[in-house]
Amino acid sequence: MSKNSRLKVAFLAAVVAVAGLATAGPALAAPPAATAAASQAQEPAIPTDFVTLPTSPLRPGGNQEVTLTYRNTTPTPTTVAPQLLVTSPDSGPFLSPSDVRVERRTGHGCWVTVPLGSQTGTLFTDLVGAQRTLGPGETLKERYRVTVLNPKAGGTVEPRVALYGA
């Protein structure tokens, strides 16, 4: 299976999971009329596009810092979510979440561990919890630190930004 196919499968699995949670959660807690009103007020749960940023090889030994930067150049507020993918080599072995640690730098300068999902050899950070709205001209800047825990692990670090809406 090619790396692009694995990425597509991982993305589709994540979208199905997010869509299922987004639609099932409010439906279970609210009466039908309230559910319809709530779903109209919520931002779309499925990204409409991705902006891919420069990739880098996964480097064993030490920490590797990755900065995601995205500027909203539209005249309207835009909902975005930063995401970090760590993809396995085409010929394997596939990565597992125990092979790497991903951390995000907070506004206070602390590093906090980011849980990783895994699908067909691709590790990924959550989109739902990372969503935020950027006003016109605002810039998103997220710093991540990737540490390889398994010296035999190899792959590629692929930062991107999910875009929501029309």
Side-chain angles (χ1 to χ4, degrees):
M1 181 179 285
S2 76
K3 185 180 292 185
N4 286 338
S5 295
R6 287 197 317 261
L7 285 174
K8 287 177 186 176
V9 169
F11 172 70
L12 288 174
V15 167
V16 168
V18 169
L21 289 175
T23 57
L28 295 176
T35 302
S39 66
Q40 289 177 354
Q42 293 176 354
E43 290 293 320
I46 299 174
T48 55
D49 200 6
F50 286 93
V51 175
T52 56
L53 302 171
T55 64
S56 60
L58 183 62
R59 293 190 301 256
N63 298 319
Q64 176 176 348
E65 289 192 23
V66 178
T67 302
L68 280 103
T69 305
Y70 176 78
R71 182 174 174 80
N72 179 10
T73 58
T74 69
T76 59
T78 302
T79 300
V80 300
Q83 186 176 49
L84 202 62
L85 303 174
V86 183
T87 59
S88 297
D90 286 335
S91 60
F94 287 158
L95 293 167
S96 73
S98 63
D99 291 333
V100 300
R101 178 177 58 239
V102 174
E103 300 165 289
R104 182 183 57 80
R105 190 169 190 127
T106 68
H108 301 324
C110 301
W111 292 102
V112 295
T113 301
V114 178
L116 294 174
S118 177
Q119 184 71 289
T120 319
T122 299
L123 307 177
F124 55 90
T125 59
D126 180 47
L127 286 173
V128 176
Q131 286 184 20
R132 68 206 58 186
T133 301
L134 296 178
E138 287 185 333
T139 300
L140 164 74
K141 186 173 184 178
E142 288 286 340
R143 289 182 60 193
Y144 291 92
R145 181 168 64 185
V146 180
T147 304
V148 177
L149 302 173
N150 176 353
K152 295 180 182 177
T156 305
V157 178
E158 301 180 20
R160 66 184 188 173
V161 177
L163 305 176
Y164 296 81

